[in-house]
């Protein structure tokens, strides 16, 4: 145990770092700040109460404090700094002040016992990996002012079931929900996001997703390996990038929109449960490798004319060649560019 006397106004960087036997700290005076890594690695520290006079806390101040179960951030602290609680595996509850406006990189990373947290209304930015590895976190609400939710925000949050957007963030970063296996459905904001990010739902448990019109690109690996069962592409999407629906083993229903122009190689890679798909007349570029590995696919139905199809990229041929499914191409009578009884090596039928 240690008592910090009243004359002390600041606890400096690394002051108690690695003091593995320290179990409690009593602060008698009105200190104004705590330096970086001040209590990092104090693995037995189970309790500490900071006075309201504290206005600044340094990076990793309580990193790897394994015995810490609860914490109240002082009322005048505006930023939860980088790695402040990173690795605090037994931290169950944190009370954040109303003045708070920023949660920095990896602030709560690997807080494996944290089940819920209320984000104050003034928070506008949440840094990358802020809640990565919080394996007990079940729900999360983005308050109305959040404009940036950075990459890998909830990566590996296997218990996360509910995500609510009160805000319309401009950015939700790459792999935001990577491996969130309990997240079965999500409604993305009705406005705000202008561009989705790479691999946003890789390996996630999402079965249905509702998102707004106006997004032009569904990025690479967006739903890769997720539990997605059905999808209706919103108006405005023009491009499906490589792996967008890759390895979605439960995907049985896909409704594409009338604005779609390009479907890239591997867009539906190994989505084996998909049996048929309708290609809108707007599509101009459909690579021969779009459905590679879709073993259950038997019908590809074109609503318009034949598209650009053959791919000359030698790397893609080396990667995907020989794995194309043997589906039948259906087209409307009078549609230009198709041939019978085969087109580009696939059998054809009128529909």
């Amino acid at each position: 145990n240690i008592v910090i006397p009243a004359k002390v106004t600041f606890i400096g960087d690394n002051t108690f770092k690695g003091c593995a036997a320290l179990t409690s700290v009593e602060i008698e005076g009105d200190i104004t700040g705590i330096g970086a890594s001040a209590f990092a690695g104090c693995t037995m520290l189970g309790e500490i109460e900071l006075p309201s006079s504290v206005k600044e806390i340094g990076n990793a101040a309580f990193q790897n404090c394994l015995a810490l179960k609860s914490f109240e951030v002082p009322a005048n602290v505006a930023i939860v700094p980088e790695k402040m609680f990173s690795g605090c595996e037994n931290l169950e509850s944190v009370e954040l002040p109303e003045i708070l406006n920023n949660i920095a990189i990896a602030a709560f990373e690997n807080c494996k016992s944290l089940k819920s947290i209320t984000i104050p209304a003034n928070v506008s930015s949440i840094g990358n990996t802020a809640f990565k590895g919080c394996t007990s976190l079940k729900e999360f609400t983005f308050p109305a002012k959040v404009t940036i939710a950075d990459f890998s925000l909830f990566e590996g949050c296997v218990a996360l079931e509910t995500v609510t957007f009160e805000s319309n963030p401009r950015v939700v970063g790459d792999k935001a929900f990577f491996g969130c296996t309990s997240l079965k459905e999500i409604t993305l904001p009705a406005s705000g996001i202008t561009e989705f990010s790479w691999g946003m739902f890789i390996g996630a448990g999402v079965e249905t997703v509702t998102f707004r019109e106006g997004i032009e690109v569904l990025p690479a690996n967006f739903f890769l390996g997720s539990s997605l069962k059905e999808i209706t592409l919103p108006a405005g999407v023009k491009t499906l990038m490589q792996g967008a629906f890759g390895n979605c083993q439960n995907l049985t229903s896909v409704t594409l929109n009338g604005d779609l122009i390009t479907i890239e190689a591997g867009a539906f890679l190994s989505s084996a449960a998909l049996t048929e798909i309708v290609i809108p007349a707007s599509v101009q570029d459909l690579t021969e490798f779009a459905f590679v590995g879709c073993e259950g696919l038997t019908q590809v139905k074109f609503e318009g004319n034949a598209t650009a199809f053959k791919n000359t990229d030698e790397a893609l041929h080396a990667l995907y060649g020989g794995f194309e499914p043997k589906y039948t191409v259906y087209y409307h009578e009078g549609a230009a560019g198709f041939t019978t009884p085969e087109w580009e090596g696939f059998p054809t039928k009128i529909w």
Side-chain angles (χ1 to χ4, degrees):
N1 303 331
I2 191 167
V3 176
I4 297 175
K7 289 184 178 181
V8 175
T9 59
F10 189 88
I11 300 174
D13 295 356
N14 305 310
T15 300
F16 300 102
K17 183 177 182 180
C19 293
L22 184 64
T23 58
S24 68
V25 176
E26 182 182 346
I27 300 172
E28 292 185 336
D30 293 330
I31 63 171
T32 59
I34 296 175
S37 300
F39 296 95
C42 295
T43 55
M44 298 296 292
L45 182 62
E47 59 179 309
I48 182 171
E49 183 177 344
L50 301 184
S52 59
S53 55
V54 173
K55 296 182 179 180
E56 180 185 354
I57 299 176
N59 293 344
F62 297 94
Q63 186 178 25
N64 294 327
C65 290
L66 301 183
L68 199 63
K69 290 188 175 182
S70 63
F71 195 95
E72 182 178 350
V73 179
N76 292 308
V77 173
I79 297 174
V80 175
E82 292 183 17
K83 299 183 178 181
M84 179 172 174
F85 298 107
S86 177
C88 294
E89 296 183 353
N90 292 297
L91 186 66
E92 297 176 356
S93 63
V94 176
E95 186 173 339
L96 302 175
E98 293 183 5
I99 196 175
L100 196 75
N101 58 51
N102 186 299
I103 296 175
I105 295 170
F108 297 94
E109 185 175 9
N110 291 325
C111 290
K112 296 181 179 181
S113 299
L114 188 66
K115 294 182 178 179
S116 65
I117 187 167
T118 300
I119 307 301
N122 286 317
V123 171
S124 61
S125 178
I126 304 177
N128 65 65
T129 69
F131 297 95
K132 180 180 179 180
C134 293
T135 53
S136 297
L137 188 66
K138 290 188 174 182
E139 59 183 358
F140 191 90
T141 298
F142 287 94
K145 291 185 179 181
V146 171
T147 57
I148 298 175
D150 223 324
F151 68 82
S152 294
L153 189 58
F154 300 105
E155 182 174 340
C157 293
V158 294
L160 188 64
E161 297 175 350
T162 305
V163 175
T164 303
F165 287 89
E166 293 179 351
S167 64
N168 296 312
R170 292 182 290 103
V171 177
V172 177
D174 295 351
K175 303 193 298 181
F177 302 100
F178 186 120
C180 295
T181 53
S182 296
L183 185 65
K184 300 301 181 184
E185 61 180 277
I186 187 169
T187 299
L188 296 175
S191 62
I193 300 177
T194 55
E195 183 177 334
F196 285 133
S197 299
W198 181 91
M200 192 167 172
F201 293 101
I202 292 178
V206 287
E207 297 175 355
T208 58
V209 175
T210 303
F211 47 92
R212 77 178 187 94
E213 298 180 359
I215 300 298
E216 293 191 356
V217 177
L218 212 60
N221 302 325
F222 192 67
F223 289 108
L224 181 69
S226 73
S227 299
L228 193 68
K229 290 184 176 180
E230 59 181 356
I231 189 76
T232 297
L233 212 61
V237 175
K238 296 178 180 179
T239 302
L240 299 183
M241 294 187 70
Q242 187 170 3
F245 298 99
N247 201 30
C248 292
Q249 296 296 319
N250 299 322
L251 185 62
T252 58
S253 175
V254 176
T255 303
L256 303 178
N257 64 53
D259 298 316
L260 191 62
I261 296 173
T262 300
I263 302 176
E264 289 190 355
F268 293 89
L269 175 68
S270 297
S271 293
L274 191 64
T275 58
E276 67 173 86
I277 190 168
V278 176
I279 307 300
S282 58
V283 173
Q284 301 172 19
D285 184 8
L286 172 65
T287 174
E288 61 185 305
F289 300 128
F291 304 106
V292 68
C294 295
E295 297 175 354
L297 188 64
T298 59
Q299 301 179 24
V300 175
K301 299 180 176 180
F302 286 79
E303 291 187 326
N305 297 326
T307 67
F309 192 74
K310 282 297 182 183
N311 197 301
T312 59
D313 189 321
E314 293 183 2
L316 288 177
H317 275 271
L319 183 63
Y320 295 138
F323 294 97
E324 304 94 324
K326 300 302 180 183
Y327 52 79
T328 298
V329 170
Y330 289 76
Y331 63 93
H332 293 304
E333 190 170 2
F338 292 103
T339 55
T340 188
E342 289 188 350
W343 174 72
E344 303 289 6
F346 293 89
T348 56
K349 289 185 178 180
I350 300 293
W351 72 303

